[in-house]
């Protein structure tokens, strides 16, 4: 994107079109989306892990986070649920309207009913989009209220989703299954009706106008009562409900000093729970959403290595590289080959040492990967294998990763491969809406997976179990091998193990000669999925790479 390119952006909920100027150092490979605001928009441990997590403030040493640090957050495998569109478990708690193609009847009971399915994927955390009361009907936009991203009461659950008691039941049921629970914190803006009642400690935030057409009010952090209020919000749900952390919507709406203060609040209460012998509510994970390029993510979420703000932020740049390599991004740009996976604009080195980038393939603001494959007119015969290739890349990346509901079945939304036309906002079907489809949960929603869907779900569960079993994958130092043509490759290593990860992004067989000089002493490379053993001899080991496949090879 040329400097100064003016782009149109669609506000995720209000339908208001605004103009924004921006520039990306990487020449626009990501496309317009990284310059957008994400309006939240709508904007423990592996299977069987029940050990108490520990609090880990951001490290300030020269070592990079998740490179051998053994921080529990590096091993997060999170499943994102959009509450209003996921599963209808309570016929009395419904919105019935909203953005996206779902029936908009999702609720907390539906999530409780789905926990066994979620656990079967070998994830170890769930992230719920906002559950707080949005004063439905009072602001005149039920579609917006259904998203949860413009709340009016941060201490009570939206009655269209359930009750505080149901949320406590959900948190406890998830913890019983070894799953962390993260809530979505929208600390920068509120419903247009304001905040309806004081906090339990009697606080209210200061508010200010967001300008003409803005669908809510902004929080005024120029007034000290605002920070005090949201510190109480962040502390309350950890202290009283035992949640394990927060996803932070539109993190750039707060300054770094505000995030440092809120992070400290969360870490203190998490540490107090741990000291009191609590098993859960001790992780204190916080991940910021800055839907922009790497410079902005660093400046608006992470802070500097010597003065950290947030420890984690979503890795939007690398996500765009991944879809460009294996599909097309929302703008239609794709076919970039393996080099885009190691491009200058999406390297982890763009972030400070304490950063733990959280990589995802999709979310509620992005077009589903399946629809991006449809949009790119890829061969339908490759559909499932492209999903597996993308998942393998996530599994091989150090640091937390997030899966969006439905991805386990290769979900796509029929009829939405092409971009919806100019009336998309009125219809609630813009590109940042269409992934909000009904959840598919066997035994709960009446969904019966096809053989391909069932096989992908089983394969993904096995892949995540493999990741959980090998620290080199989730907290290993990355040694680059190759990122050119159709082949990408790393060595992932901890003190105890080395794993070679290779990915073929093309539809033709490839091979790669792994330089033995980059390996420690060993006798063979063993494929962790197939069991194939490749003996080490000479200066290199040739690895065959089937089309659209990732391979994990453990040095034995």
């Amino acid at each position: 994107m040329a400097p100064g390119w003016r782009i149109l952006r669609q506000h995720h909920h209000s339908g208001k079109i605004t103009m924004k100027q921006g520039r990306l150092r990487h020449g626009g490979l990501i496309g317009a989306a990284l310059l957008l605001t994400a309006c939240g928009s709508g904007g423990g441990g592996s299977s069987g892990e029940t050990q108490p997590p520990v609090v880990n403030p951001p490290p300030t040493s020269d070592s990079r986070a998740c490179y051998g640090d053994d921080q529990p957050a590096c091993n997060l495998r999170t499943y994102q649920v959009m509450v209003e569109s996921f599963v209808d478990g309570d016929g009395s708690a419904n919105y019935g309207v909203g953005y996206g193609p779902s029936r908009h009847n999702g609720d907390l009971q539906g999530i409780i009913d789905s926990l066994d399915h979620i656990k079967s994927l070998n994830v170890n955390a769930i992230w719920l989009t906002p559950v707080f009361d949005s004063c439905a009907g009072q602001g005149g936009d039920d579609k917006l209220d259904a998203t949860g991203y413009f709340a009016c009461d941060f201490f009570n659950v939206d009655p269209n989703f359930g009750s505080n008691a149901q949320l406590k039941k959900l948190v406890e049921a998830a913890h019983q299954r070894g799953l962390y629970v993260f809530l979505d914190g929208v600390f920068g803006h509120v419903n247009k009706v304001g905040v309806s009642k004081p906090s339990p400690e009697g606080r209210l935030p200061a508010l200010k106008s967001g300008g003409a057409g803005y669908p809510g009010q902004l929080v005024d952090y120029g007034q000290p009562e605002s920070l005090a209020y949201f510190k109480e919000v962040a502390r309350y749900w950890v202290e009283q409900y035992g949640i394990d952390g927060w996803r932070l919507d539109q993190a750039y709406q707060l300054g770094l000093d505000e995030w440092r203060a809120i992070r400290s609040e969360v870490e203190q209460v998490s540490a107090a729970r741990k000291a009191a012998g609590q098993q859960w509510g001790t992780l204190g994970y916080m991940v910021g959403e800055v839907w922009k390029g790497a410079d902005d993510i660093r400046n608006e979420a992470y802070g500097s290595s010597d003065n950290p703000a947030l420890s984690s932020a979503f890795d939007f740049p690398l996500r765009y590289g991944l879809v460009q390599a294996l599909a097309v991004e929302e703008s239609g740009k794709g076919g970039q080959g393996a080099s885009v996976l190691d491009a200058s604009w999406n390297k982890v080195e763009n972030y400070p040492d304490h950063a733990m980038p959280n990589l995802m393939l999709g979310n509620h603001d992005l077009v589903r990967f399946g629809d991006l494959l449809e949009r790119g007119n890829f061969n339908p015969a490759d559909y499932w294998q492209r999903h597996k290739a993308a998942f393998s890349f996530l599994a091989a990346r150090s640091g937390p990763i997030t899966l969006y509901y439905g991805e386990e079945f290769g979900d796509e939304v029929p009829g939405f491969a092409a971009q919806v036309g100019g009336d998309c906002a009125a219809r609630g079907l813009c590109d940042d809406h269409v992934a909000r489809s009904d959840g598919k949960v066997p035994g709960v929603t009446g969904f019966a997976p096809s053989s391909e869907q069932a096989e992908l779900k089983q394969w993904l569960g096995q892949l995540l179990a493999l990741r959980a079993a090998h620290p080199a994958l989730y907290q290993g130092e990355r040694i680059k091998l190759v990122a050119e043509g159709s082949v990408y490759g790393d060595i992932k290593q901890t003190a105890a193990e080395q794993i070679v990860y290779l990915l073929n992004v093309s539809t033709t067989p490839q091979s790669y000669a792994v330089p033995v000089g980059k390996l420690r002493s060993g006798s063979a490379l063993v494929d962790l999925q197939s069991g194939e053993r490749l003996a080490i001899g000479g200066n290199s080991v040739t690895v065959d790479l089937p089309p659209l496949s990732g391979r994990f090879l453990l040095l034995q």
Side-chain angles (χ1 to χ4, degrees), residues 19-68:
M19 298 293 292
K20 183 177 179 76
Q21 261 198 340
R23 62 187 67 191
L24 295 177
R25 293 193 314 172
H26 53 266
L29 290 176
I30 292 181
L34 281 183
L35 294 176
L36 308 190
T37 61
C39 197
S41 308
S46 63
S47 178
E49 292 167 327
T50 56
Q51 293 302 310
V54 296
V55 176
N56 287 286
T60 56
S61 69
D62 292 334
S63 62
R64 183 163 296 281
C66 295
Y67 276 15

Side-chain angles (χ1 to χ4, degrees), residues 282-351:
T282 60
L283 181 64
Y285 177 67
M286 298 174 68
V287 56
E289 181 223 27
V290 177
W291 192 359
K292 302 180 184 180
D295 289 347
D296 291 312
I297 294 172
R298 182 181 64 249
N299 295 333
E300 297 173 359
Y302 287 130
S304 62
S305 294
D306 59 356
N307 193 15
L310 296 176
S311 300
S312 189
F314 286 106
D315 198 350
F316 282 96
L318 188 54
R319 179 269 175 184
Y320 279 86
L322 181 57
V323 296
Q324 286 177 16
L326 288 166
V328 298
E329 64 163 81
E330 283 75 359
S331 71
K333 187 178 184 67
Q336 299 301 297
S339 62
V340 75
L341 296 171
D342 193 50
S344 61
W345 48 269
N346 61 25
K347 289 177 178 288
V348 68
E349 288 79 13
N350 289 326
Y351 305 126

Side-chain angles (χ1 to χ4, degrees), residues 498-545:
Q498 273 192 323
I499 296 175
V500 176
Y501 170 70
L502 295 169
L503 173 66
N504 176 6
V505 301
S506 76
T507 57
T508 58
Q510 305 288 328
S511 64
Y512 178 72
V514 178
V516 171
K518 291 197 173 185
L519 300 173
R520 298 168 183 159
S521 177
S523 60
L525 292 173
V526 179
D527 190 304
L528 289 172
Q529 291 175 298
S530 71
E532 180 184 2
R533 187 176 185 276
L534 304 175
I536 294 176
N539 295 323
S540 64
V541 181
T542 298
V543 180
D544 292 328
L545 302 174

Side-chain angles (χ1 to χ4, degrees), residues 312-489:
S312 189
F314 286 106
D315 198 350
F316 282 96
L318 188 54
R319 179 269 175 184
Y320 279 86
L322 181 57
V323 296
Q324 286 177 16
L326 288 166
V328 298
E329 64 163 81
E330 283 75 359
S331 71
K333 187 178 184 67
Q336 299 301 297
S339 62
V340 75
L341 296 171
D342 193 50
S344 61
W345 48 269
N346 61 25
K347 289 177 178 288
V348 68
E349 288 79 13
N350 289 326
Y351 305 126
D353 292 341
H354 69 273
M356 293 187 287
N358 188 319
L359 182 60
M360 70 295 184
L361 187 60
N363 67 23
H364 58 297
D365 290 327
L366 298 165
V367 177
R368 286 189 180 274
F369 187 68
D371 285 303
L372 293 176
L373 292 176
E374 300 281 350
R375 188 172 290 186
N377 296 311
F378 292 98
N379 185 345
D382 299 332
Y383 184 88
W384 304 103
Q385 197 59 37
R386 287 184 182 274
H387 277 82
K388 290 182 178 180
F391 291 149
S392 79
F393 187 85
L394 262 67
R397 204 72 183 175
S398 287
I401 60 173
T402 298
L403 296 162
Y404 185 54
Y405 76 94
E407 288 179 346
E408 68 268 35
F409 294 119
D411 205 7
E412 60 96 19
V413 185
F416 292 100
Q419 290 178 300
V420 176
D423 62 344
C424 69
R427 296 167 61 189
L429 296 175
C430 298
D431 264 5
D432 51 354
H433 303 146
V434 298
R436 305 171 197 181
S437 51
D438 288 319
K440 294 178 169 66
V441 182
V444 176
T445 63
F447 167 68
S450 69
S451 58
E452 293 91 350
Q453 289 171 321
E455 196 276 334
L456 181 65
K457 185 259 184 184
Q458 181 181 21
W459 184 91
L460 176 60
Q462 292 170 346
L463 177 70
L464 294 181
L466 183 152
R467 173 180 169 88
H470 291 279
L473 296 179
Y474 61 80
Q475 64 182 40
E477 178 186 4
R478 171 184 175 248
I479 299 173
K480 177 183 174 180
L481 287 177
V482 61
E484 60 187 32
S486 300
V487 178
Y488 174 89

Side-chain angles (χ1 to χ4, degrees), residues 198-212:
S199 73
E201 296 179 7
R203 297 185 176 91
L204 285 169
L207 305 176
K208 60 184 179 181
S209 171

Side-chain angles (χ1 to χ4, degrees), residues 541-555:
V541 181
T542 298
V543 180
D544 292 328
L545 302 174
L548 299 169
S549 293
R551 296 191 69 178
F552 300 84
L553 302 158
L554 176 68
L555 178 67

Side-chain angles (χ1 to χ4, degrees), residues 127-169:
W127 150 31
L128 312 181
T129 55
V131 299
F132 304 128
D133 190 4
S134 295
C135 291
Q138 297 182 35
D141 190 347
D142 285 355
K143 283 186 176 181
L144 184 64
D145 295 339
T147 69
Y149 281 99
F150 284 84
C152 69
D153 180 353
F154 291 82
F155 293 91
N156 286 290
V157 168
D158 190 324
N160 286 317
F161 295 153
S163 66
N164 284 32
Q166 276 184 306
L167 180 58
K168 180 164 285 232
K169 178 182 176 183

